[in-house]
Amino acid sequence: RAPPLGRGGGYMNMKIAIFTNNYLPNPYGVSGSVESFRHEFERMGHEVYIFAPRWKGYYDNNPNVFRFSSIETNVKIKFPIPIPYSPKINKILSDLKLDIIHSQHPNLLGSAAMRWAKKKNIPLVFTWHTLYDQYAHFAPFVPSKIAIWWAIRNARNYANKCDQIIVPTPSVGEIIKNWGVTNRNITAIPTG
Protein backbone atom coordinates (compact mmCIF):
# COMPACT_ATOMS: atom_id res chain seq x y z
CA ARG A 1 0.00 0.00 0.00
CA ALA A 2 3.01 2.31 -0.34
CA PRO A 3 2.97 5.06 -2.97
CA PRO A 4 4.51 4.13 -6.32
CA LEU A 5 8.24 4.39 -6.81
CA GLY A 6 9.47 7.19 -8.98
CA ARG A 7 12.39 7.19 -11.39
CA GLY A 8 15.58 6.15 -9.67
CA GLY A 9 13.69 4.00 -7.14
CA GLY A 10 12.81 6.82 -4.71
CA TYR A 11 9.28 7.53 -3.52
CA MET A 12 7.29 10.09 -5.44
CA ASN A 13 6.07 13.16 -3.63
CA MET A 14 3.26 12.20 -1.30
CA LYS A 15 0.19 13.91 0.09
CA ILE A 16 0.31 13.35 3.84
CA ALA A 17 -2.47 14.09 6.35
CA ILE A 18 -1.39 14.52 9.97
CA PHE A 19 -4.13 14.21 12.60
CA THR A 20 -3.25 15.61 16.01
CA ASN A 21 -5.12 16.49 19.21
CA ASN A 22 -2.26 18.82 20.15
CA TYR A 23 -1.06 21.53 17.78
CA LEU A 24 -0.09 25.19 17.62
CA PRO A 25 -0.26 27.43 19.56
CA ASN A 26 -0.11 24.71 22.21
CA PRO A 27 3.46 24.77 23.57
CA TYR A 28 3.65 21.06 24.52
CA GLY A 29 5.91 18.44 22.92
CA VAL A 30 3.59 16.90 20.33
CA SER A 31 3.14 20.28 18.63
CA GLY A 32 6.91 20.56 18.20
CA SER A 33 7.11 17.02 16.86
CA VAL A 34 4.31 17.63 14.35
CA GLU A 35 6.00 20.82 13.18
CA SER A 36 9.36 18.98 12.80
CA PHE A 37 7.71 16.30 10.67
CA ARG A 38 5.79 18.88 8.64
CA HIS A 39 8.86 21.01 7.91
CA GLU A 40 10.97 18.00 6.94
CA PHE A 41 8.25 16.44 4.76
CA GLU A 42 7.70 19.75 2.96
CA ARG A 43 11.47 20.22 2.53
CA MET A 44 11.48 16.81 0.82
CA GLY A 45 8.74 17.98 -1.57
CA HIS A 46 5.69 16.33 0.04
CA GLU A 47 2.36 18.09 0.60
CA VAL A 48 1.29 18.07 4.26
CA TYR A 49 -2.20 18.72 5.60
CA ILE A 50 -2.70 19.17 9.35
CA PHE A 51 -6.01 18.31 11.05
CA ALA A 52 -6.11 19.66 14.60
CA PRO A 53 -8.47 21.15 17.21
CA ARG A 54 -9.55 24.76 16.97
CA TRP A 55 -7.77 26.93 19.53
CA LYS A 56 -9.91 29.94 20.47
CA GLY A 57 -8.38 33.20 19.27
CA TYR A 58 -5.61 31.55 17.22
CA TYR A 59 -5.47 31.83 13.44
CA ASP A 60 -3.25 29.78 11.14
CA ASN A 61 -1.10 31.29 8.41
CA ASN A 62 -0.75 27.88 6.79
CA PRO A 63 -3.65 27.21 4.35
CA ASN A 64 -3.12 23.44 4.78
CA VAL A 65 -4.17 23.48 8.45
CA PHE A 66 -7.78 22.49 9.07
CA ARG A 67 -9.37 22.85 12.49
CA PHE A 68 -12.04 20.69 14.10
CA SER A 69 -14.42 22.39 16.51
CA SER A 70 -13.24 21.89 20.07
CA ILE A 71 -14.29 22.20 23.67
CA GLU A 72 -12.11 24.55 25.71
CA THR A 73 -10.83 22.98 28.92
CA ASN A 74 -8.55 24.14 31.66
CA VAL A 75 -8.06 21.05 33.85
CA LYS A 76 -4.47 21.48 35.09
CA ILE A 77 -3.53 23.03 31.70
CA LYS A 78 -5.38 24.89 28.91
CA PHE A 79 -6.13 22.28 26.29
CA PRO A 80 -8.85 22.26 23.61
CA ILE A 81 -10.52 18.85 23.17
CA PRO A 82 -11.42 18.28 19.51
CA ILE A 83 -14.81 17.03 18.41
CA PRO A 84 -13.75 14.35 15.87
CA TYR A 85 -16.57 14.97 13.42
CA SER A 86 -17.10 17.86 11.03
CA PRO A 87 -19.14 17.92 7.81
CA LYS A 88 -16.87 20.71 6.49
CA ILE A 89 -13.67 18.74 7.19
CA ASN A 90 -15.27 15.53 5.87
CA LYS A 91 -15.78 17.34 2.54
CA ILE A 92 -12.16 18.51 2.52
CA LEU A 93 -10.90 15.00 3.30
CA SER A 94 -13.18 13.46 0.66
CA ASP A 95 -11.68 15.76 -1.97
CA LEU A 96 -8.02 15.29 -1.00
CA LYS A 97 -6.11 12.59 -2.87
CA LEU A 98 -4.05 11.44 0.13
CA ASP A 99 -1.31 8.80 0.06
CA ILE A 100 -0.91 8.26 3.79
CA ILE A 101 -2.33 9.38 7.14
CA HIS A 102 -0.10 10.01 10.15
CA SER A 103 -1.92 9.92 13.49
CA GLN A 104 -0.41 11.45 16.61
CA HIS A 105 -2.89 10.05 19.15
CA PRO A 106 -4.94 6.88 19.67
CA ASN A 107 -8.15 8.73 20.54
CA LEU A 108 -10.32 11.64 19.40
CA LEU A 109 -8.69 12.78 16.13
CA GLY A 110 -6.79 9.47 16.11
CA SER A 111 -10.16 7.76 15.66
CA ALA A 112 -10.94 10.11 12.77
CA ALA A 113 -7.52 9.33 11.25
CA MET A 114 -8.18 5.60 11.39
CA ARG A 115 -11.65 6.03 9.92
CA TRP A 116 -10.29 8.05 6.99
CA ALA A 117 -7.35 5.71 6.35
CA LYS A 118 -9.82 2.82 6.06
CA LYS A 119 -12.22 4.85 3.92
CA LYS A 120 -9.44 5.84 1.51
CA ASN A 121 -7.67 2.46 1.75
CA ILE A 122 -4.32 4.09 2.53
CA PRO A 123 -1.69 3.33 5.20
CA LEU A 124 -2.07 4.64 8.74
CA VAL A 125 1.10 5.53 10.65
CA PHE A 126 0.82 6.16 14.40
CA THR A 127 3.44 7.99 16.43
CA TRP A 128 3.38 6.75 20.03
CA HIS A 129 4.76 9.95 21.55
CA THR A 130 4.67 9.22 25.23
CA LEU A 131 4.03 6.71 27.98
CA TYR A 132 0.33 7.34 28.50
CA ASP A 133 0.32 5.90 32.01
CA GLN A 134 2.30 8.99 33.09
CA TYR A 135 -0.62 11.26 32.20
CA ALA A 136 -3.48 9.62 34.12
CA HIS A 137 -3.47 12.53 36.60
CA PHE A 138 -4.90 14.78 33.86
CA ALA A 139 -8.23 12.98 34.35
CA PRO A 140 -8.75 13.81 38.04
CA PHE A 141 -12.38 12.65 37.93
CA VAL A 142 -11.31 9.03 37.13
CA PRO A 143 -9.47 6.81 39.64
CA SER A 144 -5.79 6.65 38.66
CA LYS A 145 -5.60 2.85 38.22
CA ILE A 146 -8.62 2.86 35.91
CA ALA A 147 -7.28 5.80 33.89
CA ILE A 148 -3.88 4.08 33.46
CA TRP A 149 -5.49 0.76 32.49
CA TRP A 150 -7.77 2.43 29.94
CA ALA A 151 -5.02 4.64 28.43
CA ILE A 152 -2.65 1.71 27.89
CA ARG A 153 -5.39 -0.62 26.61
CA ASN A 154 -6.74 2.01 24.22
CA ALA A 155 -3.31 2.93 22.81
CA ARG A 156 -2.28 -0.76 22.49
CA ASN A 157 -5.46 -1.68 20.62
CA TYR A 158 -5.06 1.33 18.32
CA ALA A 159 -1.38 0.60 17.60
CA ASN A 160 -2.14 -3.02 16.71
CA LYS A 161 -4.50 -1.82 13.95
CA CYS A 162 -1.99 0.58 12.34
CA ASP A 163 0.31 -0.14 9.42
CA GLN A 164 3.35 1.41 11.12
CA ILE A 165 4.21 2.66 14.61
CA ILE A 166 6.84 5.31 15.28
CA VAL A 167 8.32 5.59 18.77
CA PRO A 168 10.79 8.25 19.98
CA THR A 169 13.32 5.71 21.32
CA PRO A 170 13.95 1.94 21.08
CA SER A 171 13.23 1.66 24.83
CA VAL A 172 9.67 2.97 24.29
CA GLY A 173 9.29 0.29 21.61
CA GLU A 174 10.19 -2.37 24.19
CA ILE A 175 7.80 -0.91 26.78
CA ILE A 176 4.83 -0.93 24.40
CA LYS A 177 5.63 -4.52 23.37
CA ASN A 178 5.49 -5.43 27.06
CA TRP A 179 2.10 -3.70 27.20
CA GLY A 180 0.82 -6.04 24.48
CA VAL A 181 1.59 -4.28 21.19
CA THR A 182 2.03 -7.15 18.73
CA ASN A 183 2.40 -4.99 15.61
CA ARG A 184 5.86 -5.83 14.24
CA ASN A 185 6.19 -2.57 12.30
CA ILE A 186 7.75 -0.41 15.02
CA THR A 187 10.47 2.10 14.14
CA ALA A 188 12.32 4.45 16.50
CA ILE A 189 12.66 8.00 15.13
CA PRO A 190 13.90 10.58 17.66
CA THR A 191 11.66 13.63 17.96
CA GLY A 192 13.16 16.58 16.12
Side-chain angles (χ1 to χ4, degrees), residues 127-149:
T127 293
W128 191 307
H129 285 279
T130 191
L131 300 177
Y132 295 110
D133 61 324
Q134 303 297 309
Y135 290 85
H137 64 281
F138 283 104
F141 43 86
V142 178
S144 181
K145 285 185 180 184
I146 292 172
I148 290 169
W149 169 83

Tab-separated table of all heavy atoms in Angstrom, residues 127-149:
chain	number	residue	atom	x	y	z
A	127	THR	N	2.304	7.675	15.574
A	127	THR	CA	3.442	7.989	16.428
A	127	THR	C	2.995	7.883	17.884
A	127	THR	O	2.094	8.592	18.317
A	127	THR	CB	4.012	9.388	16.139
A	127	THR	OG1	4.578	9.378	14.834
A	127	THR	CG2	5.108	9.750	17.132
A	128	TRP	N	3.633	6.962	18.601
A	128	TRP	CA	3.376	6.755	20.031
A	128	TRP	C	4.341	7.686	20.748
A	128	TRP	O	5.490	7.343	21.015
A	128	TRP	CB	3.628	5.297	20.393
A	128	TRP	CG	3.158	4.909	21.753
A	128	TRP	CD1	3.463	5.518	22.934
A	128	TRP	CD2	2.299	3.818	22.083
A	128	TRP	NE1	2.860	4.879	23.972
A	128	TRP	CE2	2.131	3.815	23.476
A	128	TRP	CE3	1.665	2.824	21.339
A	128	TRP	CZ2	1.370	2.872	24.143
A	128	TRP	CZ3	0.900	1.887	21.997
A	128	TRP	CH2	0.751	1.918	23.387
A	129	HIS	N	3.883	8.901	21.040
A	129	HIS	CA	4.759	9.953	21.546
A	129	HIS	C	5.232	9.746	22.974
A	129	HIS	O	6.332	10.177	23.318
A	129	HIS	CB	4.040	11.306	21.492
A	129	HIS	CG	3.935	11.868	20.129
A	129	HIS	ND1	4.972	12.537	19.516
A	129	HIS	CD2	2.924	11.844	19.233
A	129	HIS	CE1	4.606	12.908	18.323
A	129	HIS	NE2	3.358	12.509	18.114
A	130	THR	N	4.380	9.177	23.800
A	130	THR	CA	4.670	9.219	25.229
A	130	THR	C	4.149	7.982	25.928
A	130	THR	O	3.411	7.193	25.346
A	130	THR	CB	4.023	10.489	25.836
A	130	THR	OG1	4.507	10.672	27.146
A	130	THR	CG2	2.515	10.404	25.833
A	131	LEU	N	4.537	7.808	27.165
A	131	LEU	CA	4.026	6.710	27.984
A	131	LEU	C	2.747	7.212	28.649
A	131	LEU	O	2.788	7.971	29.615
A	131	LEU	CB	5.082	6.277	29.002
A	131	LEU	CG	6.388	5.797	28.364
A	131	LEU	CD1	7.413	5.454	29.428
A	131	LEU	CD2	6.132	4.611	27.447
A	132	TYR	N	1.626	6.793	28.098
A	132	TYR	CA	0.331	7.335	28.498
A	132	TYR	C	0.009	7.126	29.971
A	132	TYR	O	-0.746	7.902	30.554
A	132	TYR	CB	-0.786	6.768	27.617
A	132	TYR	CG	-0.649	7.208	26.181
A	132	TYR	CD1	-0.286	6.316	25.180
A	132	TYR	CD2	-0.865	8.534	25.828
A	132	TYR	CE1	-0.148	6.729	23.871
A	132	TYR	CE2	-0.723	8.959	24.521
A	132	TYR	CZ	-0.362	8.048	23.543
A	132	TYR	OH	-0.221	8.468	22.251
A	133	ASP	N	0.595	6.117	30.586
A	133	ASP	CA	0.316	5.897	32.013
A	133	ASP	C	0.815	7.066	32.870
A	133	ASP	O	0.335	7.278	33.975
A	133	ASP	CB	0.919	4.578	32.489
A	133	ASP	CG	2.428	4.530	32.351
A	133	ASP	OD1	2.977	5.079	31.374
A	133	ASP	OD2	3.067	3.922	33.229
A	134	GLN	N	1.744	7.844	32.350
A	134	GLN	CA	2.297	8.985	33.093
A	134	GLN	C	1.364	10.195	33.096
A	134	GLN	O	1.652	11.195	33.752
A	134	GLN	CB	3.648	9.395	32.495
A	134	GLN	CG	4.671	8.289	32.446
A	134	GLN	CD	5.054	7.795	33.826
A	134	GLN	OE1	5.385	8.589	34.693
A	134	GLN	NE2	4.988	6.488	34.025
A	135	TYR	N	0.266	10.107	32.331
A	135	TYR	CA	-0.623	11.257	32.201
A	135	TYR	C	-2.009	11.011	32.775
A	135	TYR	O	-2.929	11.788	32.553
A	135	TYR	CB	-0.721	11.672	30.723
A	135	TYR	CG	0.579	12.269	30.250
A	135	TYR	CD1	1.614	11.447	29.789
A	135	TYR	CD2	0.800	13.629	30.324
A	135	TYR	CE1	2.833	11.987	29.400
A	135	TYR	CE2	2.008	14.182	29.936
A	135	TYR	CZ	3.016	13.356	29.469
A	135	TYR	OH	4.207	13.884	29.094
A	136	ALA	N	-2.179	9.948	33.538
A	136	ALA	CA	-3.482	9.617	34.125
A	136	ALA	C	-3.978	10.719	35.057
A	136	ALA	O	-5.183	10.919	35.198
A	136	ALA	CB	-3.405	8.289	34.870
A	137	HIS	N	-3.067	11.465	35.671
A	137	HIS	CA	-3.467	12.525	36.601
A	137	HIS	C	-4.195	13.684	35.914
A	137	HIS	O	-4.794	14.520	36.570
A	137	HIS	CB	-2.252	13.040	37.375
A	137	HIS	CG	-1.229	13.702	36.511
A	137	HIS	ND1	-0.331	12.991	35.746
A	137	HIS	CD2	-0.973	15.015	36.279
A	137	HIS	CE1	0.444	13.841	35.084
A	137	HIS	NE2	0.072	15.061	35.389
A	138	PHE	N	-4.172	13.730	34.569
A	138	PHE	CA	-4.900	14.783	33.857
A	138	PHE	C	-6.393	14.492	33.789
A	138	PHE	O	-7.158	15.310	33.291
A	138	PHE	CB	-4.327	14.993	32.452
A	138	PHE	CG	-3.047	15.766	32.467
A	138	PHE	CD1	-1.829	15.122	32.280
A	138	PHE	CD2	-3.049	17.136	32.679
A	138	PHE	CE1	-0.641	15.837	32.304
A	138	PHE	CE2	-1.871	17.862	32.710
A	138	PHE	CZ	-0.664	17.208	32.516
A	139	ALA	N	-6.806	13.327	34.248
A	139	ALA	CA	-8.227	12.979	34.348
A	139	ALA	C	-8.554	12.800	35.831
A	139	ALA	O	-8.750	11.684	36.303
A	139	ALA	CB	-8.521	11.712	33.558
A	140	PRO	N	-8.598	13.900	36.595
A	140	PRO	CA	-8.747	13.808	38.043
A	140	PRO	C	-10.082	13.217	38.493
A	140	PRO	O	-10.214	12.781	39.629
A	140	PRO	CB	-8.605	15.258	38.514
A	140	PRO	CG	-9.012	16.069	37.332
A	140	PRO	CD	-8.573	15.279	36.122
A	141	PHE	N	-11.054	13.170	37.605
A	141	PHE	CA	-12.377	12.653	37.933
A	141	PHE	C	-12.471	11.139	37.751
A	141	PHE	O	-13.511	10.547	37.989
A	141	PHE	CB	-13.434	13.358	37.074
A	141	PHE	CG	-13.007	13.512	35.641
A	141	PHE	CD1	-13.220	12.512	34.716
A	141	PHE	CD2	-12.352	14.668	35.228
A	141	PHE	CE1	-12.801	12.646	33.405
A	141	PHE	CE2	-11.925	14.809	33.916
A	141	PHE	CZ	-12.159	13.793	33.006
A	142	VAL	N	-11.357	10.494	37.319
A	142	VAL	CA	-11.307	9.034	37.127
A	142	VAL	C	-10.233	8.480	38.054
A	142	VAL	O	-9.124	9.032	38.106
A	142	VAL	CB	-10.963	8.687	35.657
A	142	VAL	CG1	-10.861	7.188	35.454
A	142	VAL	CG2	-11.984	9.292	34.708
A	143	PRO	N	-10.519	7.400	38.792
A	143	PRO	CA	-9.475	6.808	39.640
A	143	PRO	C	-8.225	6.478	38.818
A	143	PRO	O	-8.320	5.970	37.696
A	143	PRO	CB	-10.132	5.543	40.186
A	143	PRO	CG	-11.598	5.819	40.128
A	143	PRO	CD	-11.794	6.697	38.908
A	144	SER	N	-7.062	6.776	39.367
A	144	SER	CA	-5.793	6.654	38.660
A	144	SER	C	-5.578	5.282	38.024
A	144	SER	O	-5.175	5.185	36.865
A	144	SER	CB	-4.641	6.981	39.613
A	144	SER	OG	-3.412	6.890	38.950
A	145	LYS	N	-5.834	4.204	38.767
A	145	LYS	CA	-5.605	2.855	38.220
A	145	LYS	C	-6.487	2.580	37.008
A	145	LYS	O	-6.046	1.963	36.038
A	145	LYS	CB	-5.828	1.796	39.296
A	145	LYS	CG	-4.712	1.731	40.296
A	145	LYS	CD	-4.903	0.591	41.274
A	145	LYS	CE	-3.737	0.573	42.252
A	145	LYS	NZ	-3.793	-0.545	43.156
A	146	ILE	N	-7.718	3.060	37.053
A	146	ILE	CA	-8.623	2.860	35.914
A	146	ILE	C	-8.156	3.695	34.721
A	146	ILE	O	-8.145	3.220	33.583
A	146	ILE	CB	-10.076	3.199	36.304
A	146	ILE	CG1	-10.582	2.164	37.313
A	146	ILE	CG2	-10.984	3.250	35.076
A	146	ILE	CD1	-11.932	2.486	37.915
A	147	ALA	N	-7.750	4.934	34.968
A	147	ALA	CA	-7.277	5.805	33.886
A	147	ALA	C	-6.034	5.210	33.220
A	147	ALA	O	-5.923	5.217	31.990
A	147	ALA	CB	-6.985	7.207	34.423
A	148	ILE	N	-5.107	4.695	34.015
A	148	ILE	CA	-3.884	4.083	33.460
A	148	ILE	C	-4.243	2.850	32.647
A	148	ILE	O	-3.764	2.680	31.519
A	148	ILE	CB	-2.891	3.741	34.590
A	148	ILE	CG1	-2.309	5.030	35.189
A	148	ILE	CG2	-1.783	2.819	34.097
A	148	ILE	CD1	-1.527	4.823	36.469
A	149	TRP	N	-5.082	1.971	33.201
A	149	TRP	CA	-5.487	0.756	32.488
A	149	TRP	C	-6.131	1.107	31.152
A	149	TRP	O	-5.778	0.553	30.118
A	149	TRP	CB	-6.462	-0.056	33.357
A	149	TRP	CG	-7.130	-1.169	32.614
A	149	TRP	CD1	-6.623	-2.408	32.375
A	149	TRP	CD2	-8.412	-1.139	31.969
A	149	TRP	NE1	-7.512	-3.146	31.630
A	149	TRP	CE2	-8.619	-2.391	31.375
A	149	TRP	CE3	-9.401	-0.163	31.862
A	149	TRP	CZ2	-9.785	-2.691	30.672
A	149	TRP	CZ3	-10.560	-0.464	31.163
A	149	TRP	CH2	-10.733	-1.713	30.575
